[in-house]
């Protein structure tokens, strides 16, 4: 499980990073609202621990911006104990609220409750065959075909195509592709994503009349069936 902690108190952020890592989570940390919002929207997290009082953009503003595109569970931390403040956070889209100072054990318990709740909400049988236009991906047999022709994909190419197909029509950044397919933080010196997309495109699009994998300049890549 991957968590994002957005907390401007350096010592507390370090404490949370250490403690949550020891609990078995993969933890990223941001110390201000701008960096926190960037990570929350660029990468995929199972849960976000968000401080209410942040420099740059406060926690409620980060939450409001995040909720425009993501429904990642959010546990808010704050020194404010007023009922109105808790209500504002919950009405703004927070899933839970913990007032500082708090017991670490309670934080971990609340995180597990939110993660279980999210898993239960998503426990709908997932399609084992994904389709778009004349493209078909069989997730069980690990088989990809287009117009009835078998596509000879490597494991990484299959995973990349699977992610793009699951989120067809959505522009995915190189950062997110690197995180989801290669489980790596994006490094501007690394061209692994571009190379993989180029090789996938040769197999997916080049032999066929209509391309499905498109580059959106300055943003990333999208899989969609566009009108001729």
């Amino acid at each position: 499980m991957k968590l994002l902690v957005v907390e401007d108190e350096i010592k507390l952020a370090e404490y949370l990073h250490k403690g949550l890592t020891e609990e078995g989570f993969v933890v990223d940390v941001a110390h201000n609202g701008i960096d926190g919002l960037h990570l929350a929207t660029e990468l995929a997290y199972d849960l976000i621990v968000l401080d209410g009082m942040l420099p740059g953009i406060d926690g409620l503003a980060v939450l409001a911006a995040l909720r425009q595109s993501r429904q990642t569970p959010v546990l808010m931390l704050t020194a404010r104990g007023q009922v109105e403040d808790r209500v504002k956070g919950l009405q703004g889209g927070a899933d839970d609220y913990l007032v500082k100072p708090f017991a670490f054990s309670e934080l971990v318990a609340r995180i597990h409750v939110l993660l279980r709740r999210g898993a239960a909400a998503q426990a709908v049988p997932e399609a084992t065959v994904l389709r778009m236009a004349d493209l078909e991906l069989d997730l069980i047999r690990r088989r990809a075909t287009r117009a009835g022709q078998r596509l000879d994909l490597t494991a990484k190419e299959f995973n990349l195509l699977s992610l793009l197909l699951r989120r067809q029509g959505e522009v995915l950044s190189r950062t997110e592709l690197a995180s989801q397919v290669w489980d790596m933080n994006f490094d501007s010196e690394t061209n692994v994503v571009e190379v993989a997309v180029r090789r996938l495109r040769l197999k997916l699009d080049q032999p066929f009349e209509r391309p499905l994998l498109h580059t959106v300049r300055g943003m990333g890549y999208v899989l969609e069936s566009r009108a001729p």
Side-chain angles (χ1 to χ4, degrees):
M1 289 288 183
K2 192 171 184 179
L3 309 184
L4 172 63
V5 173
V6 188
E7 169 60 62
D8 65 317
E9 295 180 38
I10 303 299
K11 286 187 178 179
L12 177 56
E14 291 175 350
Y15 170 73
L16 293 177
H17 182 272
K18 183 175 184 294
L20 291 171
T21 299
E22 290 174 354
E23 289 289 327
F25 296 106
V26 176
V27 184
D28 288 343
V29 175
H31 297 297
N32 59 68
I34 294 172
D35 291 343
L37 180 59
H38 174 74
L39 287 173
T41 52
E42 283 292 316
L43 302 179
Y45 293 97
D46 295 290
L47 183 138
I48 298 171
V49 178
L50 176 63
D51 186 24
M53 301 287 287
L54 293 167
I57 309 175
D58 70 20
L60 286 176
V62 170
L63 182 61
L66 176 67
R67 284 293 178 252
Q68 292 180 18
S69 60
R70 296 288 181 100
Q71 294 304 313
T72 310
V74 172
L75 171 60
M76 290 202 74
L77 303 178
T78 183
R80 295 172 174 169
Q82 297 295 324
V83 172
E84 311 88 74
D85 292 320
R86 295 200 297 273
V87 169
K88 272 185 187 177
L90 294 170
Q91 287 180 337
D95 297 275
D96 201 355
Y97 208 98
L98 196 55
V99 178
K100 298 176 182 177
F102 54 84
F104 180 73
S105 57
E106 182 179 3
L107 172 68
V108 172
R110 287 175 181 266
I111 286 173
H112 282 298
V113 167
L114 290 178
L115 291 174
R116 284 198 300 271
R117 188 187 303 167
Q122 294 173 13
V124 178
E126 189 175 354
T128 59
V129 178
L130 305 177
R131 297 181 178 87
M132 188 185 73
D134 57 354
L135 172 65
E136 184 173 294
L137 216 63
D138 188 324
L139 302 178
I140 301 298
R141 298 167 65 192
R142 302 283 292 182
R143 178 186 175 105
T145 60
R146 183 164 182 197
Q149 297 182 38
R150 178 77 175 266
L151 304 180
D152 185 19
L153 304 180
T154 65
K156 287 297 184 186
E157 289 166 353
F158 187 93
N159 293 343
L160 175 59
L161 182 56
S162 172
L163 175 61
L164 289 162
L165 191 51
R166 287 175 195 273
R167 296 171 64 178
Q168 57 185 276
E170 182 179 344
V171 178
L172 301 181
S173 68
R174 292 184 298 165
T175 303
E176 183 157 9
L177 292 176
S179 172
Q180 295 292 309
V181 179
W182 286 270
D183 192 25
M184 59 183 279
N185 290 324
F186 183 73
D187 182 345
S188 59
E189 299 299 318
T190 301
N191 67 345
V192 63
V193 175
E194 290 89 338
V195 170
V197 168
R198 191 183 314 127
R199 289 176 176 168
L200 176 60
R201 187 175 271 139
L202 287 173
K203 299 175 182 180
L204 175 68
D205 286 340
Q206 186 163 301
F208 302 95
E209 186 176 343
R210 185 198 291 183
L212 297 178
L213 181 52
H214 307 277
T215 301
V216 181
R217 185 163 301 187
M219 297 180 66
Y221 305 97
V222 59
L223 192 74
E224 63 182 358
S225 180
R226 297 177 177 177

